[in-house]
Amino acid sequence: MLPENTSFSEALASTIEKAGVFATLTIQDAADAVPVAKALIKGGITAIELVMRTEAAPEALRQIVTEVPEMLSGIGTLLSPDQVDQVCQIGGDYGVSPGLNPSVVKQAQSLNFPFAPGIATPSEIETAVGLGCRILKIFPAEPLGGVNYLKAMNAPYKHLNLRYMPLGGLSEDNMRSWLELPEILAIGGSWIAGGNLIAAKDWDEIARRAERAVAIFNEVRG
């Protein structure tokens, strides 16, 4: 059951849930954007979180939106209202952040831009819910305490039907346990297309990692 009163439309939330796994990308050279996106598509990954931590990120997003339109382009590390404006103009599909900044949430809402703030504590969940958010990023998911931490933290809010996207410390080895939780909308991580693989232009290995992640997702939720 998808949550109500979320900035994510039911269609978009459903698309993210069906994608199941998204690759977190840190791109230093915009020329790598399209090749890495195509490698992920080849392996079956249809969603990304392109982090806004490098000078190349806006141009990388622009190229992926234009040349790989089948990729669902989520944008990460949105820390200011200005960044929300920028990614909306380029054409990002939705945004996330590592933490909860009310000014960023409100700017996204003013632009009707789907946005999931980051949470790590019950107080942050309540603040996010008070701002109208029902889809949340839990970060850093594994260092916080992993699946057991989320289950315990979410217990008082289960009746709200909140959905979570965990990032931080996820891997091929532990992704299954996260996907088994019904409150998980989709999972993400950098292990699929890490910066070292992108720098080495190892598109084949990225495609292989994507394929393995999708296979695990299909085993759990297929």
Side-chain angles (χ1 to χ4, degrees), residues 59-176:
E59 179 57 26
L61 173 61
R62 185 174 290 106
Q63 291 188 23
I64 292 172
V65 168
T66 302
E67 300 187 40
V68 195
E70 63 270 36
M71 181 63 77
L72 187 68
S73 295
I75 314 303
T77 324
L78 293 179
L79 305 180
S80 70
D82 288 345
Q83 285 182 312
V84 174
D85 293 342
Q86 184 179 35
V87 299
C88 281
Q89 291 170 3
I90 296 172
D93 291 306
Y94 67 94
V96 299
S97 64
L100 174 58
N101 183 332
S103 68
V104 175
V105 173
K106 291 175 182 178
Q107 183 65 9
Q109 290 171 337
S110 74
L111 296 172
N112 200 28
F113 180 64
F115 180 74
I119 60 89
T121 67
S123 293
E124 289 168 347
I125 289 177
E126 293 186 20
T127 299
V129 168
L131 289 167
C133 302
R134 297 294 184 273
I135 293 177
L136 309 171
K137 171 179 175 175
I138 176 170
F139 178 85
E142 279 292 319
L144 280 170
V147 167
N148 288 335
Y149 179 80
L150 176 60
K151 288 167 68 175
M153 181 172 63
N154 187 56
Y157 310 107
K158 214 167 182 62
H159 64 289
L160 298 178
N161 297 314
L162 304 177
R163 303 299 298 275
Y164 298 89
M165 296 189 289
L167 289 99
L170 273 75
S171 69
E172 187 176 317
D173 295 329
N174 62 32
M175 62 178 285
R176 184 184 299 271

